[in-house]
Amino acid sequence: MHNIFIIYTGGTIGMVKDETGTFVPFDFELIKRNLPDLSRLDYKLTVHSFEPIIDSSNMKPEIWIEMAQIIKDNYEDYDGFVILHGSDTMAFTASVLSFMLEGLQKPVILSGSQLPIGEIRTDARENMMTALEIASAKQDGVSIIQEVCILFDNKLFRGNRSFKYNSAKFEAFRSPNYPVLVEAGIHLKYNTDALLNNVNKEFILHTKLDNRVAVLKLFPGISAQTIKAVLDSDVRSIVMETFGSGNTTTDSWFLDLLQEAIDQGKNILNISQCKVGSVELGRYETSQGLKAIGVLNGYDLTFEAAVTKLMYLQGELEDQKEVAYWVEKDIRGELTVND
């Protein structure tokens, strides 16, 4: 019998309509009633429900820390973990958990749905059953999946490589810069070459997160006052979303503002607004100045992974130079260095 631990945070999967026709969160009993096949599976399911149930828009570091601690506390007794979570911020949670759960040797799979489980055309049943099957899968007694993932619409993605791109289709998530880990058809097709292997690594829980992170999203015509307001905010790091392969304006006032922030000890991490591809600092003249003043290369980090990786590193490290060093390194399969 497979022992699976389910963490039920809430989300669309467990919602019902109230008297006004508005979807509101409900408890895990709703899911059990709509999934009678659960009783037919050779699984022992243990459920931890958050009280109160959480809309994923209200997700925050304190809840991530609680989730990670729950996994740590139950790690030895279960084959895998399934987290039922609202899709809107699922990629943030998957990303931050990947950093907090170092050396993970068991699957932690986040899933949910675009329609509540009680709806006729819901995607909840398929997502839930597939997540459970993958969470229990082993080969020679070892878990096949040893990382934090997102399961949606018959595809398993690396959590820190994924983002939600569609709110109107069952195919809600994509991972364009990294291959799909598992495709669920008649059989489960594992992309073994793409999977993390943490065998013989020590499982370590990290629970310190420092959310002093700001975001600077560039656009043509952005004012110096707007940029200065972000750079002057009380943060340790800024995620700067640039154009194409990491390009920005070459105006001297802009580079001077960035240089001033860096001289004050702030880290500026360059990621692209494009969902496919990677930052290549120095490839074009429009990014050569950034490289020269010490802007950091985010390569193909997703926005969600960039923000949460900085929270994690800042929680672990007091030295800004150490944070700068490690944010450019691949530590959990979250980026591909193209230098």
Side-chain angles (χ1 to χ4, degrees):
M1 180 173 287
H2 301 290
N3 291 332
I4 305 296
F5 196 95
I6 298 174
I7 300 174
Y8 176 60
T9 70
T12 299
I13 190 171
M15 286 188 172
V16 293
K17 286 183 180 178
D18 64 12
E19 60 277 4
T20 68
T22 302
F23 283 118
V24 294
F26 200 69
D27 61 37
F28 189 77
E29 289 301 313
L30 174 74
I31 296 173
K32 289 172 63 177
R33 288 200 303 271
N34 283 274
L35 276 178
D37 287 345
L38 285 177
S39 61
R40 298 169 51 196
L41 298 175
D42 188 25
Y43 295 160
K44 178 183 177 182
L45 303 179
T46 301
V47 180
H48 175 91
S49 292
F50 273 76
E51 294 291 345
I53 299 303
I54 304 160
D55 187 295
S56 72
S57 297
N58 290 321
M59 202 54 61
K60 51 190 173 183
E62 293 82 1
I63 301 172
W64 292 332
I65 292 169
E66 185 176 353
M67 276 188 212
Q69 188 66 58
I70 290 169
I71 292 170
K72 172 65 174 178
D73 291 345
N74 294 278
Y75 187 76
E76 298 299 332
D77 298 327
Y78 293 88
D79 300 303
F81 299 83
V82 172
I83 301 175
L84 299 179
H85 191 292
S87 60
D88 287 349
T89 61
M90 186 181 290
F92 287 96
T93 298
S95 294
V96 76
L97 288 178
S98 76
F99 300 121
M100 298 173 74
L101 303 172
E102 180 182 355
L104 189 66
Q105 296 173 38
K106 297 181 180 183
V108 174
I109 300 176
L110 285 84
S111 193
S113 65
Q114 295 285 66
L115 287 174
I117 199 165
E119 299 291 297
I120 294 175
R121 295 181 54 252
T122 184
D123 55 331
R125 297 185 190 93
E126 192 68 31
N127 287 346
M128 176 79 173
M129 300 302 283
T130 305
L132 288 171
E133 185 173 358
I134 295 174
S136 66
K138 293 186 177 183
Q139 188 171 37
D140 299 326
V142 178
S143 295
I144 298 176
I145 302 298
Q146 301 178 21
E147 55 185 292
V148 181
C149 303
I150 288 176
L151 186 285
F152 240 86
D153 194 38
N154 295 315
K155 292 182 175 67
L156 187 77
F157 304 103
R158 177 165 294 165
N160 57 32
R161 291 282 194 157
S162 311
F163 60 89
K164 184 176 181 181
Y165 90 102
N166 199 315
S167 62
K169 291 184 178 181
F170 292 147
E171 185 193 359
F173 288 85
R174 283 186 177 174
S175 173
N177 289 319
Y178 199 78
V180 173
L181 302 183
V182 182
E183 291 193 54
I186 295 175
H187 303 288
L188 295 178
K189 183 179 179 182
Y190 289 85
N191 185 356
T192 53
D193 291 338
L195 303 179
L196 286 182
N197 185 343
N198 290 322
V199 172
N200 298 324
K201 292 185 179 180
E202 182 183 2
F203 176 50
I204 301 172
L205 172 67
H206 301 275
T207 58
K208 294 179 181 178
L209 297 174
D210 182 346
N211 65 354
R212 286 178 288 172
V213 179
V215 178
L216 175 59
K217 189 180 183 77
L218 300 182
F219 58 87
I222 189 171
S223 70
Q225 291 83 355
T226 299
I227 292 173
K228 186 170 175 54
V230 175
L231 296 178
D232 286 347
S233 58
D234 184 22
V235 296
R236 292 176 63 184
S237 300
I238 297 102
V239 176
M240 183 171 66
E241 293 190 85
T242 57
F243 312 122
S245 56
N247 305 311
T248 67
T249 177
T250 56
D251 288 348
S252 59
W253 64 263
F254 173 73
L255 294 176
D256 288 346
L257 286 175
L258 297 185
Q259 181 73 74
E260 182 181 341
I262 292 170
D263 289 345
Q264 292 170 357
K266 293 179 180 178
N267 289 320
I268 300 178
L269 179 64
N270 186 348
I271 66 170
S272 177
Q273 295 177 21
C274 299
K275 297 297 187 182
V276 184
S278 180
V279 166
E280 299 180 64
L281 281 180
R283 180 180 180 185
Y284 296 100
E285 180 186 359
T286 45
S287 66
Q288 287 176 352
L290 302 177
K291 187 174 183 179
I293 65 174
V295 169
L296 303 171
N297 196 335
Y299 298 100
D300 56 355
L301 278 172
T302 64
F303 173 71
E304 294 85 349
V307 169
T308 56
K309 185 177 183 180
L310 284 169
M311 287 186 185
Y312 160 71
L313 290 174
Q314 291 179 171
E316 292 290 310
L317 305 168
E318 292 292 336
D319 190 330
Q320 285 290 85
K321 291 182 179 179
E322 286 191 64
V323 172
Y325 175 82
W326 285 108
V327 79
E328 292 186 311
K329 305 298 181 185
D330 178 24
I331 59 174
R332 302 285 193 274
E334 74 280 2
L335 61 78
T336 303
V337 176
N338 57 15
D339 288 348

